[in-house]
Structures are given as structure tokens and as C-alpha cells.
Amino acid sequence: MSLWTILPISLPVFTITGIWVVYAMSLYNQHVCPVHNWLYNESCEEQLPLQRGPVLCCTLDNIPLISKCGTLPPESCFFSLICSTGSFMVMLIALLRYAHVIEKHQNCILNTAGLSTAWICAAGLIMVGNFQVDFAKVLHYVGAGVAFPSSMLFVCLQSALTYRLAKTQEEYRIGHLRVGMALLGLIALVLSGVFFCQESFALQHASAIFEWIYCMLIMLFYGTFAFEFGGMSGDTLMVLSRGGGGGGGVNSFSTSGHKTEVSSGSNHHQPESLSML
């Protein structure tokens, strides 16, 4: 078992734990209403942070969307840190996955597209985390509009790539798992987007819940790369150092080197045979 396995596992552990900590902080500071709250009002006499008592008056500004939880300090600082660190880990995992596919198999359009969509998603996630929705709404929504579709496209491409490269029964099981997670993620993303545009308070609250489900599914999807990363070695990094070109990894280079050695050896023995004549 390679130590590289820790990387894809650490991404969902770090991000899922992190966003729930941000939610807990936001809930403690009364910046959002609890997830189990389904009652909202057009307006309240007092803002939520100023209210006291067991029953809180909530408006649409207090719906516990993930980005809403990370809007105000101090939780906004942790939210930016989680998004920035998560973006870096997404880029790194996608890059190593790209190189590992080239090393073990060969490069293809699915592999290159998967790397591209992951890096685009990481760029959008950085914008989401560092431009809070209440203070830079346009940039925040641009980042969200980039991150959500590209992350969905990434899991679809990786699911297809898993089936294309699968040879053993265990690899097909991983493919089944990823397809199931991709389908659930697609359903959650569509429902979250559709409900977000509705005027109903209940549907907008449901949108927030589906957003949480979608984000956790995507992070858990990255965790499934631990299966491939278990067979990763230093040769994967050599593929990256060569620019990711070619297929078959180090074996192709060692084969060509062997052929060169054999040919030079035959040329070396040819003059000796002539001198004996």
C-alpha cells in the first residue's frame, strides 16, 4: 500500500469536516438558521444575531447555504482557508490521477479532459471561497457557476474513464460505485439549482440541503481515488517530469533503452568477427 493513498482520503476528511465546522460556527454566532428549520418570514423585527430565545425569526438571508455559512467573520476566514486548500488538493489529485493513467495505460481524451475540468473547478472554488456572496455577489456566483458544472463533468469523465480502463472485477466495482455517486450528484445538483430559483421558502431551504449533499458526494468521489493511488510509485512523478507524454510509463523508456544497448552490442562485435576472418 502506497502512502499516496492518504492524499485522496484526506481531501474529503478535511473539506467535509471543515465545512461542517464552518456551519457550526455560523450557527453559534446566529449568522444562519439551523438546517432543521423550515419556517421563514418575509422580515423580522430584529436581525438574527441580535435575537435571543429558543424560537428564532429567520428570513431568506439566513438559509444555511454553504456559502452563506462562510459569509461573515470569523467563519469566513476558515471558509476561505478550506476552499483554497481544497482547491490545491483537487489540482494535485487530478494531476497525479492523470499521470497514473498514462503510466499504467496510455493517455486519452477522457484523461486530458478530466484533468482540465478538475483544474477549472479548482479555479471556481477559489473564487467561491475568497469572494463572499454578501460582499462580492457577482464574482461569487461566477465562481459557483464554474465550480459546480465542472465538478459534475469531472466525476462523469472519471466514471467513464474507470470503465474504459477496467480489467478486473474489483476495478469494475469501483466503476459501479463512481457511476452511482455521479448519478446521485447529478440529481442533487439539478434539484438544488431548480429549487434555488423558486420563490417558496421551503424549496429554497431544500436547495440548501441538496447543495450540502452534492458537495459531500463530490468530495467522497475524490476519496475513491485511493484505490488507484495505492499502486502509485515514484514512476508516476517521472511521467510528469517528462511532460506527461507517451504511454506505458517507464517501461516504454526501459524497452527502448534495451533495444539501443542490444544494437550497440551487435555493432561492437561485428569488427571482431571481421578481424578473425
Side-chain angles (χ1 to χ4, degrees):
M1 183 67 69
S2 173
L3 291 176
W4 289 107
T5 307
I6 299 174
L7 182 60
I9 294 176
S10 62
L11 176 60
V13 171
F14 172 75
T15 53
I16 293 176
T17 304
I19 58 177
W20 279 105
V21 169
V22 168
Y23 165 74
M25 294 175 63
S26 183
L27 197 62
Y28 177 79
N29 294 318
Q30 292 189 188
H31 292 157
V32 296
C33 285
V35 173
H36 58 77
N37 174 74
W38 289 82
L39 298 176
Y40 291 91
N41 301 280
E42 291 285 351
S43 62
C44 298
E45 294 182 359
E46 290 183 314
Q47 293 183 354
L48 186 62
L50 302 177
Q51 298 178 29
R52 295 294 179 266
V55 180
L56 299 175
C57 178
C58 300
T59 65
L60 288 179
D61 290 333
N62 310 126
I63 290 180
L65 294 161
I66 296 178
S67 55
K68 273 289 184 180
C69 294
T71 296
L72 298 175
E75 53 266 24
S76 60
C77 305
F78 289 93
F79 184 66
S80 297
L81 176 64
I82 291 165
C83 289
S84 299
T85 307
S87 299
F88 174 75
M89 296 176 71
V90 163
M91 294 175 67
L92 183 58
I93 291 172
L95 183 63
L96 292 174
R97 165 67 169 165
Y98 168 80
H100 187 252
V101 170
I102 296 176
E103 177 196 0
K104 297 299 182 182
H105 305 277
Q106 61 181 0
N107 199 9
C108 59
I109 295 177
L110 286 176
N111 192 33
T112 304
L115 175 64
S116 301
T117 52
W119 281 41
I120 292 172
C121 173
L125 185 57
I126 290 176
M127 294 183 66
V128 168
N130 291 278
F131 297 99
Q132 278 72 31
V133 63
D134 285 356
F135 305 106
K137 183 172 292 185
V138 174
L139 291 175
H140 180 87
Y141 283 145
V142 168
V146 170
F148 281 100
S150 58
S151 60
M152 188 68 246
L153 182 57
F154 173 79
V155 298
C156 292
L157 290 171
Q158 289 298 327
S159 298
L161 183 62
T162 303
Y163 275 118
R164 177 173 179 175
L165 303 179
K167 295 180 181 179
T168 65
Q169 193 66 29
E170 190 174 9
E171 290 173 341
Y172 277 106
R173 291 195 191 100
I174 294 295
H176 299 335
L177 174 63
R178 288 175 179 167
V179 167
M181 296 177 72
L183 289 175
L184 290 174
L186 179 60
I187 294 171
L189 179 61
V190 170
L191 291 178
S192 178
V194 171
F195 291 163
F196 183 76
C197 300
Q198 305 303 313
E199 296 182 358
S200 169
F201 295 162
L203 290 180
Q204 291 203 30
H205 185 81
S207 171
I209 293 176
F210 281 115
E211 181 189 56
W212 281 88
I213 294 173
Y214 174 77
C215 291
M216 288 189 288
L217 282 171
I218 296 300
M219 292 299 104
L220 290 173
F221 187 97
Y222 276 93
T224 64
F225 289 125
F227 174 77
E228 286 90 356
F229 278 40
M232 192 174 291
S233 64
D235 294 339
T236 307
L237 301 180
M238 294 181 63
V239 173
L240 293 175
S241 67
R242 293 195 298 268
V250 176
N251 293 332
S252 62
F253 272 72
S254 61
T255 303
S256 61
H258 178 69
K259 291 179 178 179
T260 304
E261 183 179 353
V262 171
S263 61
S264 62
S266 61
N267 293 335
H268 176 70
H269 289 293
Q270 186 177 1
E272 294 181 1
S273 61
L274 291 173
S275 62
M276 291 177 64
L277 293 174

